[in-house]
Amino acid sequence: MTDVIQQAPSTNPLKVNLLGLTEAKLVAFFELLGEKRFRAAQVLKWIHQLGADNFDEMTNISKALREKLKEHCEIRAPEVLRQLDSTDGTRKFLIEVTGGSVVETVFIPDGERGTLCVSSQVGCSLDCSFCMTGKQGFNRDLTAAEIIGQVWIAAKSFGQLEAGGPRKVTNVVMMGMGEPLMNFDNVVDSMNLMMHDNAYGISKRRVTLSTSGVVPQLDRLGQYTDACLAISLHAPNDALRNELVPINKKYPIAMLLESAQRYIEGLPDTHRKITIEYTLIDHVNDRPEHARELAELLRDVPVKINLIPFNPFNLSNYKRVSNNAMRRFQDILMQEGYITTVRTTRGDDIDAACGQLAGEVNDITKRSQRYKAQFSEVEPVTIVN
Ligand code: SAH
Ligand code: SF4
């Protein structure tokens, strides 16, 4: 039972933050309080479907229990530092979490679909060479309340949690800051809440975990969730991937693809595909021979491929892929029979590269300054977006 409380970090150490608790954990918590189990479903709906952040609103709960909850619990989302709205409908939140660090959450509308890109950590320890978040180093894991809190904040900002409110957030991708599998328990609990019928009720086909390849955790994932899986591959062979995604030295491509395939094959429904993310960087991994090697590598794996043009940032010497090279890369993969999409850049007017804004607010390890010093003697790289 104490486990329930320990796993519900709160800004007030004397109070349990109910925002990050799954229904199973809420049930355990109510039992601990000597209350009925069904209270868990009621409270879950109040928080995640009706946006409640206090107990007085919970009219189907007795006054005595509400008083008890007030005494022991709170419903506390992280704080929105800034909300930026793009002319194309993209909405970005800069969110301050306990301790003063900042993470980003981005909502990207596309017709009927609204995808929320959610962060799982402040910074990231995996240090991929093309990633702004990686350059910040690692600060800490987000709590489950801070992860699901991003969905709560975004949904609330659109009036989605009011009675009859629009269903704006239809999809969630764990593709914000951080490596979700390095924060396994909190990410799994949060995804459970995203998909739970008494919370956000998002289909398992619309919640995606993206990983750069923490194989031991990926091997466990299927025991806890049946969400979609995206693999950040970015290279068709180990030599190149070792340079771009250093964790590849520990868990090389073959091992990663086998683990991903086991996960997908373990899901109860058939025809699910792994999304392969491939960030195209000018003259690094964008050559036709890379595309052909990738097609060969993925021959027997059920995949769809998402090409992402590299987003330049001022601590990196890499350049964005040319449109020609990107089209050629896509054509080769399509000719080889792969569903291949290109991620378009959205919300250009409210930010530069993904993770950049929060990166500039945070000053976690001073590592970014070391990088700046390193690049100050070479040709300056302009921020394109
Ligand atoms: N850590 C996880 C999820 C967060 S990164 C992962 O690596 O999958 C989400 C996606 O954004 C990854 O595919 C990552 O490779 C990509 N990405 C990171 N920095 C980028 C940049 N500067 N330009 C384009 N894509 C980038
Ligand atoms: Fe971390 Fe993903 Fe960035 Fe790599 S790409 S440093 S795993 S956030």
Side-chain angles (χ1 to χ4, degrees), residues 124-128 130-131 133-134 176-179 212 234 245:
C124 182
S125 60
L126 299 187
D127 200 18
C128 300
F130 54 88
C131 175
T133 307
M177 301 171 77
E179 167 50 51
S212 61
H234 311 307
V245 185

mmCIF file of all heavy atoms in Angstrom, residues 124-128 130-131 133-134 176-179 212 234 245, ligand 2:
data_model
loop_
_atom_site.group_PDB
_atom_site.id
_atom_site.type_symbol
_atom_site.label_atom_id
_atom_site.label_comp_id
_atom_site.label_asym_id
_atom_site.label_seq_id
_atom_site.Cartn_x
_atom_site.Cartn_y
_atom_site.Cartn_z
ATOM 1 N N CYS A 124 17.763 14.250 -21.635
ATOM 2 C CA CYS A 124 17.858 12.833 -22.008
ATOM 3 C C CYS A 124 19.309 12.408 -21.874
ATOM 4 O O CYS A 124 20.214 13.176 -22.197
ATOM 5 C CB CYS A 124 17.381 12.617 -23.441
ATOM 6 S SG CYS A 124 17.401 10.885 -23.952
ATOM 7 N N SER A 125 19.519 11.188 -21.405
ATOM 8 C CA SER A 125 20.894 10.737 -21.174
ATOM 9 C C SER A 125 21.509 10.077 -22.409
ATOM 10 O O SER A 125 22.683 9.749 -22.407
ATOM 11 C CB SER A 125 20.911 9.740 -20.012
ATOM 12 O OG SER A 125 20.089 8.634 -20.333
ATOM 13 N N LEU A 126 20.722 9.869 -23.472
ATOM 14 C CA LEU A 126 21.214 8.998 -24.546
ATOM 15 C C LEU A 126 22.044 9.721 -25.606
ATOM 16 O O LEU A 126 22.695 9.080 -26.415
ATOM 17 C CB LEU A 126 20.050 8.226 -25.176
ATOM 18 C CG LEU A 126 19.324 7.310 -24.180
ATOM 19 C CD1 LEU A 126 18.304 6.435 -24.887
ATOM 20 C CD2 LEU A 126 20.300 6.422 -23.412
ATOM 21 N N ASP A 127 21.998 11.037 -25.617
ATOM 22 C CA ASP A 127 22.965 11.843 -26.351
ATOM 23 C C ASP A 127 23.061 11.539 -27.842
ATOM 24 O O ASP A 127 24.169 11.437 -28.392
ATOM 25 C CB ASP A 127 24.348 11.677 -25.684
ATOM 26 C CG ASP A 127 25.280 12.815 -26.055
ATOM 27 O OD1 ASP A 127 24.786 13.862 -26.511
ATOM 28 O OD2 ASP A 127 26.507 12.642 -25.923
ATOM 29 N N CYS A 128 21.923 11.400 -28.499
ATOM 30 C CA CYS A 128 21.967 11.224 -29.958
ATOM 31 C C CYS A 128 22.559 12.491 -30.571
ATOM 32 O O CYS A 128 22.273 13.608 -30.121
ATOM 33 C CB CYS A 128 20.567 10.950 -30.502
ATOM 34 S SG CYS A 128 19.858 9.452 -29.793
ATOM 35 N N PHE A 130 22.181 14.263 -33.150
ATOM 36 C CA PHE A 130 21.386 15.247 -33.901
ATOM 37 C C PHE A 130 20.252 15.830 -33.076
ATOM 38 O O PHE A 130 19.367 16.496 -33.614
ATOM 39 C CB PHE A 130 20.782 14.549 -35.139
ATOM 40 C CG PHE A 130 20.006 13.326 -34.735
ATOM 41 C CD1 PHE A 130 18.665 13.428 -34.402
ATOM 42 C CD2 PHE A 130 20.641 12.102 -34.633
ATOM 43 C CE1 PHE A 130 17.964 12.325 -33.970
ATOM 44 C CE2 PHE A 130 19.946 10.989 -34.199
ATOM 45 C CZ PHE A 130 18.597 11.107 -33.865
ATOM 46 N N CYS A 131 20.256 15.571 -31.757
ATOM 47 C CA CYS A 131 19.080 15.895 -30.950
ATOM 48 C C CYS A 131 19.384 16.977 -29.919
ATOM 49 O O CYS A 131 20.296 16.837 -29.108
ATOM 50 C CB CYS A 131 18.569 14.634 -30.260
ATOM 51 S SG CYS A 131 17.206 14.962 -29.135
ATOM 52 N N THR A 133 17.559 17.844 -27.364
ATOM 53 C CA THR A 133 17.314 17.371 -25.995
ATOM 54 C C THR A 133 18.538 16.634 -25.481
ATOM 55 O O THR A 133 18.953 16.812 -24.330
ATOM 56 C CB THR A 133 16.091 16.426 -25.959
ATOM 57 O OG1 THR A 133 14.981 17.069 -26.561
ATOM 58 C CG2 THR A 133 15.741 16.034 -24.539
ATOM 59 N N GLY A 134 19.130 15.802 -26.345
ATOM 60 C CA GLY A 134 20.329 15.057 -25.955
ATOM 61 C C GLY A 134 21.461 15.986 -25.530
ATOM 62 O O GLY A 134 22.196 15.706 -24.589
ATOM 63 N N GLY A 176 8.184 13.704 -27.403
ATOM 64 C CA GLY A 176 8.697 14.982 -26.928
ATOM 65 C C GLY A 176 10.085 14.785 -26.357
ATOM 66 O O GLY A 176 10.871 13.968 -26.845
ATOM 67 N N MET A 177 10.396 15.504 -25.295
ATOM 68 C CA MET A 177 11.731 15.401 -24.720
ATOM 69 C C MET A 177 11.862 14.106 -23.930
ATOM 70 O O MET A 177 10.941 13.688 -23.229
ATOM 71 C CB MET A 177 11.982 16.592 -23.803
ATOM 72 C CG MET A 177 11.858 17.908 -24.552
ATOM 73 S SD MET A 177 11.892 19.318 -23.447
ATOM 74 C CE MET A 177 13.635 19.405 -23.086
ATOM 75 N N GLY A 178 13.026 13.472 -24.036
ATOM 76 C CA GLY A 178 13.321 12.306 -23.210
ATOM 77 C C GLY A 178 13.112 10.975 -23.898
ATOM 78 O O GLY A 178 12.510 10.888 -24.963
ATOM 79 N N GLU A 179 13.653 9.946 -23.298
ATOM 80 C CA GLU A 179 13.532 8.582 -23.809
ATOM 81 C C GLU A 179 12.512 7.837 -22.919
ATOM 82 O O GLU A 179 12.811 7.522 -21.758
ATOM 83 C CB GLU A 179 14.902 7.901 -23.779
ATOM 84 C CG GLU A 179 14.890 6.404 -23.989
ATOM 85 C CD GLU A 179 14.097 5.930 -25.207
ATOM 86 O OE1 GLU A 179 14.306 6.436 -26.317
ATOM 87 O OE2 GLU A 179 13.237 5.049 -25.019
ATOM 88 N N SER A 212 14.575 5.061 -28.919
ATOM 89 C CA SER A 212 15.804 4.947 -29.695
ATOM 90 C C SER A 212 16.437 3.564 -29.497
ATOM 91 O O SER A 212 17.460 3.273 -30.098
ATOM 92 C CB SER A 212 16.775 6.038 -29.270
ATOM 93 O OG SER A 212 17.084 5.868 -27.926
ATOM 94 N N HIS A 234 17.146 5.808 -37.945
ATOM 95 C CA HIS A 234 18.017 6.871 -38.478
ATOM 96 C C HIS A 234 19.236 6.394 -39.275
ATOM 97 O O HIS A 234 19.991 7.238 -39.787
ATOM 98 C CB HIS A 234 18.520 7.818 -37.375
ATOM 99 C CG HIS A 234 17.442 8.308 -36.471
ATOM 100 N ND1 HIS A 234 16.300 8.907 -36.925
ATOM 101 C CD2 HIS A 234 17.313 8.251 -35.118
ATOM 102 C CE1 HIS A 234 15.531 9.226 -35.895
ATOM 103 N NE2 HIS A 234 16.109 8.826 -34.798
ATOM 104 N N VAL A 245 23.259 7.414 -32.891
ATOM 105 C CA VAL A 245 22.468 6.975 -31.731
ATOM 106 C C VAL A 245 23.374 6.095 -30.867
ATOM 107 O O VAL A 245 23.441 4.880 -31.053
ATOM 108 C CB VAL A 245 21.221 6.169 -32.199
ATOM 109 C CG1 VAL A 245 20.310 5.813 -31.033
ATOM 110 C CG2 VAL A 245 20.445 6.930 -33.265
HETATM 111 FE FE1 SF4 B 2 17.091 11.128 -26.226
HETATM 112 FE FE2 SF4 B 2 15.417 10.552 -28.278
HETATM 113 FE FE3 SF4 B 2 16.946 12.793 -28.290
HETATM 114 FE FE4 SF4 B 2 18.098 10.400 -28.582
HETATM 115 S S1 SF4 B 2 16.616 11.360 -29.989
HETATM 116 S S2 SF4 B 2 18.856 12.070 -27.255
HETATM 117 S S3 SF4 B 2 16.863 9.141 -27.239
HETATM 118 S S4 SF4 B 2 15.302 12.313 -26.864
#
